[in-house]
């Protein structure tokens, strides 16, 4: 295959590796920013004796969703295991939050 044929084929597929790399990196920085914000807000809520379980549940469920998606694409069992662990933790913290919220 000639160079121009390869380039034409790549354009037809509309899958640019550089664009995919930037998308992956942007998701990484979104997760880092979300984690830092959740930590900051959790600390400020703990100082006021307010519950922090909703923030922890949000983070756990977000991580679980990302790992379940990664498992669906790569079929790596470690992604499935991490997704299950964080999913269970997210469900537990959600239940704790709602029991405190409703005063049960």
């Amino acid at each position: 295959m000639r160079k121009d044929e390869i380039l034409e084929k790549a354009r037809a597929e509309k899958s640019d590796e550089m664009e995919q790399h930037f998308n992956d990196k942007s998701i990484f920085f979104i997760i880092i920013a979300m984690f830092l914000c959740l930590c900051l807000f959790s600390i400020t809520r703990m100082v006021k004796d307010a519950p922090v379980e909703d923030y922890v549940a949000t983070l756990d469920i977000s991580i679980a969703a990302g790992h379940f998606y990664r498992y669906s694409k790569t079929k790596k069992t470690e992604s499935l295991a991490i997704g299950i662990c964080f999913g269970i933790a997210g469900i537990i913290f959600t239940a704790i939050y709602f029991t405190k919220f409703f005063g049960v």
Side-chain angles (χ1 to χ4, degrees):
M1 245 188 209
R2 293 187 344 234
K3 181 180 176 181
D4 53 341
E5 290 174 352
I6 294 170
L7 288 173
E8 191 62 39
K9 184 178 179 183
R11 285 188 194 115
E13 291 176 0
K14 295 183 182 180
S15 62
D16 185 13
E17 286 184 26
M18 182 75 93
E19 186 177 325
Q20 182 62 38
H21 174 74
F22 289 142
N23 286 338
D24 292 344
K25 281 289 192 184
S26 70
I27 291 171
F28 172 75
F29 285 110
I30 288 168
I31 290 170
I32 294 295
M34 183 177 70
F35 177 76
L36 292 175
C37 287
L38 287 172
C39 287
L40 175 69
F41 295 138
S42 294
I43 290 169
T44 58
R45 287 179 95 174
M46 286 190 310
V47 168
K48 298 268 187 181
D49 271 345
V52 296
E53 288 83 6
D54 54 337
Y55 290 143
V56 177
T58 302
L59 183 62
D60 287 342
I61 292 170
S62 298
I63 292 171
H67 280 280
F68 285 136
Y69 176 77
R70 188 177 298 170
Y71 172 74
S72 73
K73 297 298 180 185
T74 64
K75 301 299 184 209
K76 290 186 177 180
T77 55
E78 65 226 20
S79 293
L80 179 62
I82 293 170
I84 290 171
C85 290
F86 276 99
I88 291 170
I91 291 168
I92 290 169
F93 280 107
T94 301
I96 292 170
Y97 172 76
F98 279 114
T99 56
K100 286 182 179 181
F101 182 77
F102 291 115
V104 176

